[in-house]
Amino acid sequence: AQKVTQAQTEISVVEKEDVTLDCVYETRDTTYYLFWYKQPPSGELVFLIRRNSFDEQNEISGRYSWNFQKSTSSFNFTITASQVVDSAVYFCALQPTGANNLFFGTGTRLTVIP
Amino acid sequence: DSGVTQTPKHLITATGQRVTLRCSPRSGDLSVYWYQQSLDQGLQFLIHYYNGEERAKGNILERFSAQQFPDLHSELNLSSLELGDSALYFCASSTYSDTEAFFGQGTRLTVV
């Protein structure tokens, strides 16, 4: 069975603070992809990153960084120097290789206070 | 802008009615996925089409059906609507089945 857990339902930070969103996944598949999507108040789902289970290198894209640790089945997302525009619901998702769909976590609502 | 277009953006209809949601995938994408986002169920996969053929079904009710046309656009048909069908319905597309999916802006369906 596939499962993605985002234990943090809501997080509030003050602008310019760093914040880490946690994601823990469960799968019996040996190869899979992990994703993060952002859902701003306007409602669309914005693709942020896809990571292959073979690649445990951390990734940085501007103020965003991702820490993938296979040993703990975690794929955490850090926003550095948060901004008000980062306020959104963030979803972590899992796609086993060969599967047709994504398995989403329940999302973390991030509020950045000016 | 993801390049995936969904129409309409909002839809209000009565119980028992039937509606059709439309999705135009990104240019060149062969795969189309439909997801439902509701408060109690979260984001749930409904169905996947690849180049006109159904590839996988998720938690899709029998009252719901979909198809992908030769021009690769897709439609999701929802019939005998119930209050509980009120949700945000997303379409996503990808080049193949194992490449990243890009989502449209969603259709917000309200059943009254």
Side-chain angles (χ1 to χ4, degrees), chain A residues 56-86:
Chain A
E56 288 193 66
Q57 277 194 329
N58 290 335
E59 181 153 343
I60 298 174
S61 176
R63 296 183 298 106
Y64 294 171
S65 63
W66 290 270
N67 184 318
F68 175 32
Q69 292 198 335
K70 213 167 179 178
S71 59
T72 56
S73 297
S74 65
F75 186 44
N76 296 337
F77 173 31
T78 297
I79 302 174
T80 303
S82 59
Q83 300 176 1
V84 173
V85 293
D86 296 327

Side-chain angles (χ1 to χ4, degrees), chain B residues 6 9 26 49 51 65 75 94 106-107:
Chain B
Q6 289 187 248
K9 286 190 170 47
R26 293 186 317 159
Y49 277 84
N51 203 20
S65 64
E75 292 181 356
S94 64
T107 293

Side-chain angles (χ1 to χ4, degrees), chain B residues 45-59:
Chain B
F45 166 67
L46 295 179
I47 198 163
H48 170 216
Y49 277 84
Y50 178 81
N51 203 20
E53 292 186 4
E54 181 187 302
R55 282 296 179 91
K57 274 187 175 179
N59 299 321

Side-chain angles (χ1 to χ4, degrees), chain A residues 44-45, chain B residues 1-7 9 22-27 29 31-34 90-94 100-106:
Chain A
E44 72 270 27
L45 277 168
Chain B
D1 184 357
S2 67
V4 179
T5 303
Q6 289 187 248
T7 56
K9 286 190 170 47
R22 182 187 170 97
C23 170
S24 294
R26 293 186 317 159
S27 176
D29 283 358
S31 270
V32 170
Y33 308 81
W34 287 96
F90 283 106
C91 168
S93 75
S94 64
E100 56 264 41
F102 292 86
F103 284 74
Q105 290 194 314

Side-chain angles (χ1 to χ4, degrees), chain A residues 37 39 43 50 100-102, chain B residues 33 35 37 45 48 90 98 101:
Chain A
Y37 284 86
Q39 187 174 36
R50 180 178 86 149
N100 291 280
N101 59 289
L102 299 168
Chain B
Y33 308 81
Y35 287 82
Q37 185 179 28
F45 166 67
H48 170 216
F90 283 106
D98 62 348

Side-chain angles (χ1 to χ4, degrees), chain A:
Chain A
Q2 323 294 340
K3 186 178 179 182
V4 176
T5 301
Q6 295 181 256
Q8 303 153 308
T9 307
E10 294 191 28
I11 300 176
S12 290
V13 297
V14 176
E15 201 172 18
K16 296 184 184 175
E17 286 185 347
D18 299 347
V19 58
T20 295
L21 310 182
D22 297 333
C23 173
V24 175
Y25 61 92
E26 295 175 33
T27 180
R28 291 181 181 171
D29 292 78
T30 54
T31 60
Y32 47 88
Y33 296 101
L34 295 165
F35 298 77
W36 277 95
Y37 284 86
K38 173 182 179 180
Q39 187 174 36
S42 50
E44 72 270 27
L45 277 168
V46 179
F47 168 80
L48 295 178
I49 189 171
R50 180 178 86 149
R51 176 50 54 88
N52 188 310
S53 57
F54 288 123
D55 182 4
E56 288 193 66
Q57 277 194 329
N58 290 335
E59 181 153 343
I60 298 174
S61 176
R63 296 183 298 106
Y64 294 171
S65 63
W66 290 270
N67 184 318
F68 175 32
Q69 292 198 335
K70 213 167 179 178
S71 59
T72 56
S73 297
S74 65
F75 186 44
N76 296 337
F77 173 31
T78 297
I79 302 174
T80 303
S82 59
Q83 300 176 1
V84 173
V85 293
D86 296 327
S87 296
V89 180
Y90 290 86
F91 291 94
C92 180
L94 165 72
Q95 181 183 24
T97 305
N100 291 280
N101 59 289
L102 299 168
F103 296 86
F104 283 90
T106 50
T108 297
R109 181 179 298 278
L110 173 65
T111 302
V112 181
I113 303 165

